[in-house]
Amino acid sequence: MLSPFFSFLTRSFYIKMILVMLAISIIPLIVLSYISVSVSSRTVEEQVNRLNAQLVNQVVDRIELTMSRFRELSEQYSRMSSIQGALVSPSDQYFEEVVRKKDLISVLSTASAIIGNVEGLQVYSAVTGEILSSTEAPSPMAASPYKPLIEHYLESGKPGLFLDKHSLPELDILNSSTYYISRIPFYQYEDLQGILLISMKNGEYLRQIQNIQLGSTGSIALVTDDGKSIATTSKLGGNAEEERIHSILSHWKNLQQPGQFRMDSSIISVKQTSTYDKWIVISEIPSKQLGESTVIIRRTVMYFLILLVGLGALSVVGFGYHLYRPLQAVRRQVDAIKKGRFDARVTHFANNEIGDLGRMLNTMAVRIQDLLADLHESEDLKRRLEIRALQSQINPHFMYNTLNTIRMFAIMKDYDGINSLMGRLVALLRYSMENYEQTVMLQQELDYLEDYVGLLNMRYKCRILLALEIEEPLQRLQIPKLSLQPLIENSVFHGILPAKVSEGHITIKVFSIPESSAIMIEIRDDGIGMEDQELEKLKLHLPREEISDNIGLQNVWMRMRLMFGRDTQIMLASKPGEGMAITFILEQDSVRVKEEQHE
């Protein structure tokens, strides 16, 4: 037991990570304690000053990066064809204009979501005078709060303009947000199509600085060139904060804008950004706080240093043992899954992420078992359906009768009849053998049926009339290939021909039922029909999957369910002497209507 455990300790990444973390924590404490004892408080202060300067530089870099990102995003989206394409003259067609606006708003919303930390994107169309936004409804420029921003931008003549509360102090929307405005397209040598506005809440700038720890009384502020606060972590608030900022800026300018200086027993670090409106970052740390920190370091580091080393060693052993047991269980589970034993399970779960991993492995193993079972079932069903689909195509007996009919026409020298028969036969063979698509449009299937019925009319004395009642646009409804021919064949050979009439009728109706969100496909004939007992027997036989004499209807039913889902329904209705009706009920959500192709 101990040997595998200690082997785990020497190889575990987690244990090594803990040791590194302990080393990183302890070594700086040792160095800091030496500095505290051997070096004066001024040395500590110089260190803090340097760190404070680095902190201010990092904040400035963040702000400049954010501002540069504003310009890059503005240039990127100003060149987007989807945005430029929407800024055109209004269409005479109301629907096209609505779709264009909707597409542009969708692009703006998607861009706002992708960027993440912006308040919103707005586009002003120079053609229509409207402003479209990712967060607001379209509105004319005259009624929009962005009108003063757009007018100020147009007056500036610049390709890009950054606006904050310093730019237009009288505008309320600039008190809480900053804007970057650019033209569409971006370059000035191109004709102006519109203006793009990207806005960011000032709270986003506060989020960038609020986690910076400068002690209980220290603060960091982001202000404009004239001292207006954009974001601050100061606890003063109100007029006191404004007066403090103006006092610091005035003193800073009087000192010829140094990077650091002392003021009122505080260490001040100041740096101004080099982009756009020259924002200023101010960091303030009271000197008293530095002295308190130095005393605390001197009194506490030495006392806790040895204690931390001892606790660290005990923590490594204890934490290692706490990881060892559940990790071994998870490892055994993974090894079992690698060997294909998906019935293995983790039985003991730790109350942490490793326990969650064990539960997920159990769930994954169960899911893999279910997927394998479903895969086997699907492959088996696919194989059976492929066999039945082949059986439902033109059979050799049909080919024999057709060729025999051609022979009879040849003997009679009826070349027109031979030509008509061969044309229809070639069309049937081409459709059934050359078209490898699993689904076809309903109209293609109907064209195939007309050729099929035409062949039957040339072979038999009974004339079969095929009537089509198809609702627009359901001619382009996608259905399984060769799914209606077996039903027509059943109607002819089991319904109309046994009736021994001179003329038979088959009607195909396809229509939608709005109130039930369904689409109906109905095939009706006027053949001999079926007795109630035979009809009930057929209804009971349909759900079964074994191959039987009713290959055609059963195959169509199973293929319909496979394509349109298990909610697909079939209804059979028949009375002796009145023919038979077969109705498929398809859920509207499961069907697909192919778009009409325009030349």
Side-chain angles (χ1 to χ4, degrees):
M1 177 66 183
L2 291 178
S3 178
F5 171 65
F6 285 112
S7 176
F8 167 78
L9 288 180
T10 58
R11 293 185 295 106
S12 173
F13 168 78
Y14 296 97
I15 302 303
K16 294 177 181 177
M17 183 178 65
I18 293 172
L19 289 173
V20 171
M21 291 175 63
L22 286 174
I24 293 174
S25 302
I26 294 172
I27 293 175
L29 287 176
I30 298 174
V31 175
L32 188 58
S33 63
Y34 172 79
I35 294 175
S36 300
V37 174
S38 61
V39 185
S40 66
S41 298
R42 181 176 178 81
T43 304
V44 177
E45 181 177 321
E46 290 175 355
Q47 295 292 331
V48 174
N49 287 344
R50 185 167 63 253
L51 293 174
N52 195 26
Q54 292 176 357
L55 172 64
V56 171
N57 289 334
Q58 290 176 2
V59 173
V60 169
D61 291 341
R62 290 184 191 177
I63 300 302
E64 290 184 339
L65 179 62
T66 301
M67 293 179 176
S68 298
R69 186 164 174 257
F70 263 26
R71 186 181 186 281
E72 293 172 359
L73 291 172
S74 178
E75 183 176 352
Q76 175 185 347
Y77 286 104
S78 296
R79 291 201 298 260
M80 285 183 63
S81 58
S82 57
I83 294 180
Q84 295 185 13
L87 302 180
V88 296
S89 300
S91 173
D92 294 334
Q93 300 294 327
Y94 176 76
F95 175 76
E96 294 181 1
E97 184 65 15
V98 171
V99 170
R100 185 182 296 117
K101 291 180 180 179
K102 181 180 179 182
D103 291 343
L104 178 55
I105 293 174
S106 177
V107 171
L108 296 177
S109 300
T110 302
S112 179
I114 292 174
I115 298 171
N117 60 349
V118 299
E119 180 183 8
L121 282 82
Q122 295 81 32
V123 170
Y124 163 70
S125 173
V127 180
T128 64
E130 286 186 308
I131 295 179
L132 293 90
S133 173
S134 63
T135 58
E136 302 171 2
S139 63
M141 178 176 171
S144 174
Y146 307 109
K147 178 182 177 182
L149 303 179
I150 296 174
E151 292 176 345
H152 184 75
Y153 168 76
L154 293 174
E155 292 173 359
S156 71
K158 298 179 180 179
L161 185 63
F162 186 84
L163 297 180
D164 56 21
K165 59 176 65 177
H166 165 70
S167 306
L168 296 172
E170 67 278 9
L171 289 184
D172 292 336
I173 61 174
L174 291 178
N175 289 333
S176 59
S177 302
T178 54
Y179 289 79
Y180 185 82
I181 308 176
S182 64
R183 69 193 315 274
I184 301 175
F186 185 80
Y187 298 107
Q188 290 182 301
Y189 60 80
E190 298 180 275
D191 293 335
L192 180 69
Q193 293 181 257
I195 295 174
L196 175 65
L197 298 88
I198 303 179
S199 61
M200 177 182 285
K201 285 282 189 183
N202 290 343
E204 285 294 326
Y205 298 106
L206 176 60
R207 185 178 62 82
Q208 295 184 20
I209 64 174
Q210 65 182 359
N211 292 328
I212 299 175
Q213 302 296 327
L214 295 178
S216 58
T217 57
S219 65
I220 186 167
L222 178 64
V223 300
T224 62
D225 188 47
D226 60 352
K228 295 184 182 297
S229 176
I230 300 296
T232 178
T233 61
S234 174
K235 298 179 181 178
L236 293 177
N239 294 331
E241 172 65 13
E242 292 182 4
E243 293 176 359
R244 181 63 175 170
I245 289 175
H246 282 292
S247 176
I248 291 174
L249 289 179
S250 177
H251 192 63
W252 174 62
K253 292 176 181 178
N254 291 335
L255 296 175
Q256 302 300 318
Q257 300 181 354
Q260 284 187 336
F261 57 93
R262 280 186 171 273
M263 177 180 171
D264 299 334
S265 301
S266 295
I267 299 175
I268 310 295
S269 295
V270 181
K271 186 174 182 180
Q272 190 170 27
T273 63
S274 60
T275 56
Y276 304 107
D277 273 13
K278 305 294 183 180
W279 283 358
I280 300 173
V281 177
I282 302 174
S283 174
E284 180 180 3
I285 302 178
S287 299
K288 181 180 178 181
Q289 184 174 305
L290 291 179
E292 294 175 352
S293 300
T294 304
V295 172
I296 293 174
I297 293 173
R298 288 176 178 176
R299 290 180 178 179
T300 58
V301 170
M302 295 301 297
Y303 299 136
F304 285 98
L305 193 57
I306 298 176
L307 180 61
L308 285 175
V309 174
L311 290 176
L314 292 176
S315 298
V316 169
V317 176
F319 186 75
Y321 187 76
H322 185 67
L323 287 175
Y324 175 74
R325 293 185 61 191
L327 278 175
Q328 287 299 101
V330 170
R331 180 180 177 181
R332 288 192 293 269
Q333 169 77 342
V334 172
D335 289 339
I337 293 176
K338 285 170 59 178
K339 296 175 181 177
R341 293 190 288 109
F342 301 109
D343 55 344
R345 299 289 183 268
V346 177
T347 55
H348 300 287
F349 302 99
N351 190 24
N352 52 30
E353 293 83 357
I354 299 176
D356 295 338
L357 178 61
R359 296 183 185 92
M360 287 188 290
L361 283 173
N362 285 348
T363 304
M364 183 183 71
V366 172
R367 181 59 178 159
I368 291 175
Q369 284 183 302
D370 294 339
L371 289 175
L372 288 175
D374 292 343
L375 179 62
H376 291 315
E377 182 179 351
S378 299
E379 290 295 328
D380 187 54
L381 179 60
K382 179 181 177 182
R383 180 183 58 80
R384 293 199 301 269
L385 290 177
E386 287 175 348
I387 294 174
R388 292 169 182 169
L390 290 173
Q391 290 174 332
S392 66
Q393 296 181 9
I394 300 176
N395 54 57
H397 184 67
F398 174 79
M399 288 290 297
Y400 170 78
N401 289 338
T402 302
L403 294 175
N404 193 43
T405 303
I406 294 174
R407 177 175 174 276
M408 292 176 60
F409 276 109
I411 293 173
M412 297 168 58
K413 298 184 178 181
D414 186 351
Y415 301 115
D416 292 336
I418 294 174
N419 183 56
S420 178
L421 264 173
M422 289 299 295
R424 295 182 182 276
L425 180 60
V426 169
L428 293 181
L429 292 175
R430 180 183 299 112
Y431 181 80
S432 61
M433 296 181 182
E434 294 185 3
N435 188 352
Y436 296 104
E437 296 293 332
Q438 296 294 325
T439 62
V440 295
M441 288 194 299
L442 175 62
Q443 188 60 52
Q444 293 177 265
E445 189 78 3
L446 296 177
D447 294 341
Y448 171 81
L449 293 180
E450 289 180 349
D451 288 330
Y452 179 73
V453 171
L455 272 178
L456 295 178
N457 285 333
M458 299 184 72
R459 286 176 49 200
Y460 299 102
K461 294 181 180 180
C462 175
R463 182 168 181 78
I464 301 167
L465 300 179
L466 181 63
L468 306 176
E469 299 178 17
I470 314 299
E471 180 181 307
E472 179 67 31
L474 297 180
Q475 297 95 332
R476 300 187 299 279
L477 173 68
Q478 296 291 112
I479 64 172
K481 176 187 169 186
L482 292 173
S483 57
L484 299 184
Q485 185 268 339
L487 306 182
I488 301 301
E489 184 177 347
N490 285 349
S491 295
V492 173
F493 290 101
H494 300 291
I496 295 176
L497 293 183
K500 298 181 179 180
V501 294
S502 61
E503 187 174 275
H505 299 82
I506 300 176
T507 302
I508 299 178
K509 295 181 180 180
V510 182
F511 55 94
S512 60
I513 307 176
E515 56 269 17
S516 60
S517 298
I519 292 178
M520 312 282 284
I521 300 178
E522 180 183 279
I523 298 93
R524 182 181 296 273
D525 64 66
D526 59 353
I528 61 175
M530 297 182 70
E531 297 288 345
D532 292 342
Q533 184 176 358
E534 294 180 357
L535 184 63
E536 291 300 322
K537 182 179 178 181
L538 179 59
K539 290 180 179 178
L540 291 175
H541 171 76
L542 277 180
R544 303 176 182 175
E545 295 186 2
E546 64 271 7
I547 299 175
S548 65
D549 294 336
N550 297 299
I551 289 175
L553 179 58
Q554 189 183 37
N555 182 21
V556 172
W557 165 232
M558 293 183 68
R559 294 173 69 199
M560 286 290 188
R561 290 188 67 193
L562 187 64
M563 179 171 179
F564 299 108
R566 294 186 175 272
D567 293 333
T568 303
Q569 303 178 43
I570 185 173
M571 298 176 59
L572 305 178
S574 179
K575 289 185 179 180
E578 297 183 7
M580 184 170 184
I582 302 173
T583 304
F584 294 98
I585 304 175
L586 315 178
E587 292 291 332
Q588 201 159 21
D589 294 338
S590 65
V591 303
R592 184 166 64 91
V593 179
K594 193 172 183 179
E595 294 185 2
E596 186 175 5
Q597 301 293 327
H598 298 281
E599 296 184 358

